[in-house]
Each structure stands twice: as structure tokens, then as C-alpha cells.
Amino acid sequence: MSEAVRTGDCLENDEQCLKLEKAATKIQSWWRGNVVRRTLLHMALRAWIIQCWWRSMQAKMLEQRRRLALKLYTCQEWAVVKVQAQVRMWQARRRFLQARQAACVIQSRWRGHANHSRGLIRGHYEVRASRLELDIEILMT
């Protein structure tokens, strides 16, 4: 008996057996290639999913840092505004008190002087943000 008949792979001759082995090898390599490509595709898709998730997490973390920085900046700005308002209020009050004191001095001196001269004084004063404006007109009778 021939070797092809003994093994049970091929019944006729070695040439046909070689053709069948080549065809089987081609089918196996095609199948293995499909399996490898499918595995690589699945791995690439999984990597892409992980990358998308990571990018979204980075974007969320960046947005959180931006919001925190904005909140901190806003708090600092409000603190500065409040301090500036307090300083300006203190300065305006000080100017007002100085102007009031000056007006009281002028009024007390005038009252003492008016009794002596019996003149007529017309005037007005105005407290501005930076100085006292005083206009006095004295008419002697």
C-alpha cells in the first residue's frame, strides 16, 4: 500500500494530498488572520474607549480647576471691593467731619462777630469728595 492510503489523508496520490494540505494551510492562515485582525480591532476599540473616557475625565478636571480658580478670583475681587468701599467711606466721613467742624467754627465766630457788626452775610458751603467749597458774601449795612 502507498503511504497516502495508509495515513488516511489522501486516497489517490501524493500530489492531491499536497494540494489539499496547501488549501487547508491557506484556510487556516486566512482564519488565523481574521482572528488576529478581529482581536486587534477589539483591542483598538477598547483602547479608544479608554482614551475617550480619559479625555472626558481630563476635561471635567480642567473645568473643575477653572471653576475653582474663578471662584477664588471672585472672592478676592469682592474682598478688594469691600476694603476699597470701607476706605472710601472712612475718607468721606473724615472729610465730612472736618467740613462740619469748620462750619461750626465759622458759625460760632460769625455769631460773635454778627452781634458786633450787624452786617448781612450770604453764603453757602458745599462738601465735595476731595475738598470743602465755601462761598461767603458779606454785605455791611
Side-chain angles (χ1 to χ4, degrees):
M1 287 184 111
S2 73
E3 194 172 314
V5 173
R6 236 183 313 133
T7 59
D9 293 341
C10 302
L11 297 176
E12 295 180 5
N13 59 13
D14 288 335
E15 200 173 300
Q16 185 182 8
C17 190
L18 285 175
K19 284 183 183 180
L20 286 174
E21 282 181 19
K22 277 187 176 182
T25 303
K26 278 188 176 183
I27 292 171
Q28 287 174 349
S29 66
W30 172 81
W31 179 250
R32 286 184 189 130
N34 280 341
V35 169
V36 167
R37 281 189 290 277
R38 187 173 53 202
T39 304
L40 289 175
L41 178 64
H42 285 295
M43 290 172 64
L45 287 175
R46 289 178 186 137
W48 180 70
I49 290 170
I50 291 170
Q51 288 171 350
C52 288
W53 173 81
W54 179 247
R55 286 184 191 120
S56 71
M57 291 305 295
Q58 282 182 324
K60 285 180 184 177
M61 290 187 300
L62 181 63
E63 184 63 27
Q64 286 177 348
R65 284 195 302 259
R66 283 182 183 163
R67 286 182 187 209
L68 182 63
L70 181 62
K71 193 181 254 185
L72 180 64
Y73 175 76
T74 305
C75 288
Q76 290 173 346
E77 286 297 310
W78 272 109
V80 167
V81 168
K82 287 180 183 179
V83 168
Q84 287 175 345
Q86 290 293 321
V87 168
R88 288 184 183 130
M89 182 183 69
W90 175 75
Q91 289 172 340
R93 181 161 173 75
R94 192 182 74 207
R95 278 190 227 106
F96 168 76
L97 292 175
Q98 286 174 347
R100 189 177 71 177
Q101 182 66 29
C104 288
V105 168
I106 291 170
Q107 286 173 352
S108 67
R109 298 256 170 107
W110 170 250
R111 287 183 184 129
H113 179 68
N115 288 339
H116 297 288
S117 66
R118 307 229 176 202
L120 179 65
I121 293 183
R122 290 183 192 161
H124 71 281
Y125 65 93
E126 202 176 312
V127 178
R128 298 260 174 139
S130 61
R131 62 187 179 278
L132 170 68
E133 290 189 14
L134 182 63
D135 291 331
I136 299 177
E137 182 181 331
I138 302 174
L139 300 175
M140 297 303 286
T141 58

